[in-house]
Amino acid sequence: MTDTQTLTPKTEALPTAPPKIATGRSLLGTAWLRIRRSPIALVSFGVVVAIVLFALLAPVLVAIEGQDPFTTNTGPEVLDNFNTPGLPLPAYMYPSVEHWLGVEPGLGRDIFARIAYGAQVSLLIALLSTLVSVVLGTVLGAAAGYFGGKVDMVISRIIDLFLAFPHLLLVLSLTPILQSRLRDTPLGQGSFVPIASLVLILGFFGWAYLARVVRGQVLSIREQEYIEAAKSYGASHRTIIFRQVIPNVLGVVLVYATMMIPANISAEAALSFLGVGVKDPTPSWGQMLNAAQAGNWYLSDPWFLIVPGTALIITVLAFNLLGDAVRDALDPKASRS
């Protein structure tokens, strides 16, 4: 018996695809991936986007409604001039087709229009004042940590001085003074005086904490090898600070900014409520709360208080939740996936 051998034809090896090169995600890319995996972060992000769009599209929405935030209507067909003077009639007190959120007591102005334009004012003040604080805090904190020595000592003592003063009392006392000074400048035209004063006051007194945090980060960054390499190549201090140091603390700065925006929204509302912020007829949520309290309208027309109060609570809560999500997403100790 003979063994038979089975011959199999040789086949050419199929070409294989080149191996994929692993690419690392950037800090913001990793943070966005983590935010997308958090339901709370996504909901808060959606609410923030909706609020921003609501403020930006305020003129369009108000035009669709057919009202404006300044026109008063004190006629007897809108306000009760008999038993309770100035109180809206039942058809105008609550949402309707003509007035989507009713009218305010006393002057009969459209609440939806004032809420929409008030969102513009509140967000504008919060964003600009946060920008002022972020720029001052980042630059001064980076300079203190990078240069050290006398520069660090001077800036650190200024930071301690700003943190030691009672913030609210300073703002309450300085805001009226700054408003009177701004009236004789190009910023003092029309209703822009209180807005400009709040931006300057809130921004100027909000940078110290961020500067201290950035300084602590830069103290360790300045010892890194790439900083020494940049110095050896003859890069100037300004180039190193703005191109090497500050980009490496943007995560901390972004977290601070997202937490500072709701704080400034609340601060603007509180100052306007206390009568030293935005004043009538300029619409703002804090000013509307002040009007509801000043005229005791919240007793007979609680809707006038509920609408701006709810808008303020939802906005601050959404920004705070988004700030928490951004902080967790940028946390270098969090597990990477």
Side-chain angles (χ1 to χ4, degrees), residues 250-317:
L250 285 182
V252 175
V253 173
L254 182 59
V255 171
Y256 177 84
T258 55
M259 302 299 291
M260 196 66 187
I261 291 173
N264 285 333
I265 292 176
S266 300
E268 180 276 323
L271 293 173
S272 298
F273 178 78
L274 295 174
V276 296
V278 178
K279 295 180 175 60
D280 194 64
T282 303
S284 86
W285 296 343
Q287 187 276 326
M288 295 180 70
L289 293 173
N290 174 270
Q293 183 272 339
N296 290 329
W297 295 117
Y298 64 93
L299 298 175
S300 53
D301 186 8
W303 179 255
F304 183 41
L305 178 69
I306 291 173
V307 174
T310 302
L312 182 63
I313 291 173
I314 291 176
T315 302
V316 173
L317 180 61

Side-chain angles (χ1 to χ4, degrees), residues 54-175:
F54 177 69
L56 292 176
L57 298 176
V60 178
L61 297 174
V62 172
I64 293 175
E65 186 197 21
Q67 306 295 334
D68 70 83
F70 303 109
T71 300
T72 60
N73 194 339
T74 57
E77 69 279 359
V78 175
L79 302 181
D80 183 0
N81 292 321
F82 301 100
N83 298 325
T84 309
L87 192 66
L89 297 174
Y92 294 93
M93 182 177 294
Y94 301 107
S96 63
V97 176
E98 184 178 359
H99 299 277
W100 293 354
L101 290 176
V103 301
E104 64 178 13
L107 296 176
R109 294 177 297 194
D110 185 78
I111 294 179
F112 176 82
R114 294 189 66 77
I115 286 290
Y117 279 91
Q120 284 189 341
V121 173
S122 297
L123 289 180
L124 179 65
I125 293 174
L127 293 175
L128 290 181
S129 58
T130 299
L131 179 62
V132 173
S133 297
V134 165
V135 171
L136 288 176
T138 303
V139 173
L140 292 176
Y146 176 78
F147 290 109
K150 293 183 179 180
V151 175
D152 184 20
M153 183 184 67
V154 172
I155 296 178
S156 296
R157 297 296 78 78
I158 295 175
I159 293 174
D160 294 337
L161 183 65
F162 271 78
L163 292 176
F165 278 112
H167 184 264
L168 182 59
L169 293 180
L170 277 175
V171 172
L172 286 174
S173 59
L174 292 179
T175 301

Side-chain angles (χ1 to χ4, degrees), residues 227-243:
I227 299 295
E228 298 296 331
K231 291 179 180 179
S232 65
Y233 278 105
S236 64
H237 293 310
R238 186 176 66 177
T239 301
I240 295 175
I241 290 175
F242 285 97
R243 294 189 178 181

Side-chain angles (χ1 to χ4, degrees), residues 316-329:
V316 173
L317 180 61
F319 271 104
N320 277 328
L321 291 177
L322 181 61
D324 289 338
V326 171
R327 181 193 59 199
D328 296 338

